[in-house]
Amino acid sequence: MRITILFGGTNKERLVSVASAQALHRVLSEADLWFWHVHDTVHEVRSETLLNHKRPFEDEFEPGTRGVAFERALDKAKAEDRLLVLGLHGGRAENGELQAMCEMRGIPFTGSGSASSNLAFDKTAAKRFAAIAGVQPPEGIALEDIDAAFAEYGKLIAKPARDGSSYGLIFVNAKQDLVAVRNAAKAEEYVIEPFVSGIEATCGVLEQSDGKVFSLPPIEIVPAEGAFDYTAKYLLKSTQEICPGRFSPEITAALMDQALRAHRALSCAGYSRTDFIVSAKGPIYLETNTLPGLTAASLYPKALKAQGIEFADFLHDQIELCKRRSQK
């Protein structure tokens, strides 16, 4: 099989995807590079073009080559027996659409399949399935009840129901913020919840080619300016990501157990990362990412390192796992 790193995408997280592709390519140096352009075309990219892109979190990437229509590129991937290593995040790359298009063609790809990707991407549905597995999610609030909920709780949080939480995150601290939520909800569905005070945490789960599935050390997140949004994640050096997190043994065990429960309840494959708030009552489930960031600064590679797993070993094992799945 020809190994091909597919990165970019048509959604807001395409900048992060470029940074992930850089990290992937530094390990998989012989892999081909395909860039999914925002215009829904796929472009072959030279190694130096990708690696010389200096500000991936801030500047748009331009491939410098002529592209072909996305579906035509997938037909080419099938004809040339390619295996796609997904350096993608959010949107059609993480909601199951890309995975379904690959599955229909018999193209192997890393990460979760179409059904689990779609389920995890829908925050409302993911919370229901996580709850079935014994994981505690926050209460959901209907948009029409937002005024009463704000009066009751004093602080709310709103985020897109089907997109990454790095973008579109709204903290409702005052009545004028209610207007912002209503305006945002005109363009896309929003999940509204009571604000839960506590420590932000995330916990990865890894499936290996030998069949083992286990949680990685949880990470404690201390946002630079109080909110772990896009700026705090990728642009502010003052954000602290502590791995392993400074949690009690009981909380550490609970985070690892609940991340594994969520991974299994959502039928994830390969790897995932689940986000929590550690409240006074214990971990509260936020969401599960089926294609977590793989940049040099991302959380999942930090957890791998804390577990004693080299990033290169992780990637090669995911490719092996992908090959085995494709042969079933």
Side-chain angles (χ1 to χ4, degrees), residues 127 138-141 149 153 155-157 192-197:
K127 284 165 59 177
E139 174 191 348
I141 298 167
Y153 296 107
K155 192 172 183 179
L156 308 175
I157 190 166
I192 306 166
E193 299 165 343
F195 179 81
V196 179
S197 295

Side-chain angles (χ1 to χ4, degrees), residues 138-179:
E139 174 191 348
I141 298 167
L143 182 62
E144 57 267 26
D145 298 330
I146 192 171
D147 290 283
F150 180 64
E152 179 180 354
Y153 296 107
K155 192 172 183 179
L156 308 175
I157 190 166
K159 50 195 174 184
R162 297 178 182 86
D163 210 341
S165 296
S166 299
Y167 297 91
L169 193 64
I170 301 173
F171 287 89
V172 182
N173 300 311
K175 287 189 175 181
Q176 57 263 36
D177 298 324
L178 299 174
V179 177

Side-chain angles (χ1 to χ4, degrees), residues 263-328:
H263 181 94
R264 287 173 167 159
L266 299 171
S267 300
C268 298
Y271 61 105
S272 70
R273 200 197 77 227
T274 294
D275 299 337
F276 300 90
I277 292 289
V278 180
S279 71
K281 297 181 180 180
I284 303 296
Y285 174 87
L286 299 181
E287 61 183 279
T288 296
N289 304 274
T290 54
L291 285 177
L294 296 176
T295 77
S298 288
L299 298 165
Y300 199 90
K302 290 182 178 180
L304 289 171
K305 184 176 181 180
Q307 183 69 26
I309 299 173
E310 294 294 332
F311 189 58
D313 293 336
F314 158 74
L315 289 180
H316 290 302
D317 197 58
Q318 288 300 304
I319 290 170
E320 180 62 27
L321 180 64
C322 182
K323 288 178 180 179
R324 292 186 184 185
R325 283 203 307 262
S326 70
Q327 293 166 358
K328 290 183 179 180

Side-chain angles (χ1 to χ4, degrees), residues 55-242:
R55 290 155 49 100
F57 297 116
E58 300 165 74
D59 297 337
E60 292 282 357
F61 178 81
E62 287 299 332
T65 58
R66 179 173 294 183
V68 300
F70 185 70
E71 292 205 19
R72 184 177 169 188
L74 290 183
D75 291 338
K76 176 181 171 71
K78 172 60 178 176
E80 295 177 347
D81 196 26
R82 292 178 181 267
L83 183 154
L84 301 182
V85 176
L86 301 186
L88 298 160
H89 312 295
R92 293 162 61 198
E94 201 165 354
N95 71 1
E97 290 184 31
L98 167 64
Q99 289 80 0
M101 294 169 76
C102 289
E103 288 165 354
M104 294 298 292
R105 290 170 171 81
I107 302 169
F109 56 90
T110 54
S112 296
S114 59
S116 57
S117 297
N118 185 264
L119 177 57
F121 199 69
D122 184 330
K123 293 183 179 67
T124 302
K127 284 165 59 177
R128 289 199 300 268
F129 274 68
I132 291 171
V135 180
Q136 183 180 355
E139 174 191 348
I141 298 167
L143 182 62
E144 57 267 26
D145 298 330
I146 192 171
D147 290 283
F150 180 64
E152 179 180 354
Y153 296 107
K155 192 172 183 179
L156 308 175
I157 190 166
K159 50 195 174 184
R162 297 178 182 86
D163 210 341
S165 296
S166 299
Y167 297 91
L169 193 64
I170 301 173
F171 287 89
V172 182
N173 300 311
K175 287 189 175 181
Q176 57 263 36
D177 298 324
L178 299 174
V179 177
V181 174
R182 287 195 175 91
N183 288 336
K186 292 176 182 177
E188 59 183 316
E189 184 183 349
Y190 258 67
V191 169
I192 306 166
E193 299 165 343
F195 179 81
V196 179
S197 295
I199 302 169
E200 297 201 42
T202 192
C203 187
V205 172
L206 175 63
E207 177 185 355
Q208 295 182 315
S209 59
D210 61 4
K212 294 179 181 176
V213 184
F214 56 92
S215 295
L216 300 173
I219 298 175
E220 176 187 352
I221 301 164
V222 184
E225 296 180 355
F228 197 51
D229 56 10
Y230 184 86
T231 300
K233 282 184 182 180
Y234 303 113
L235 302 179
L236 295 179
K237 295 181 179 179
S238 50
T239 293
Q240 298 181 61
E241 297 161 348
I242 303 165

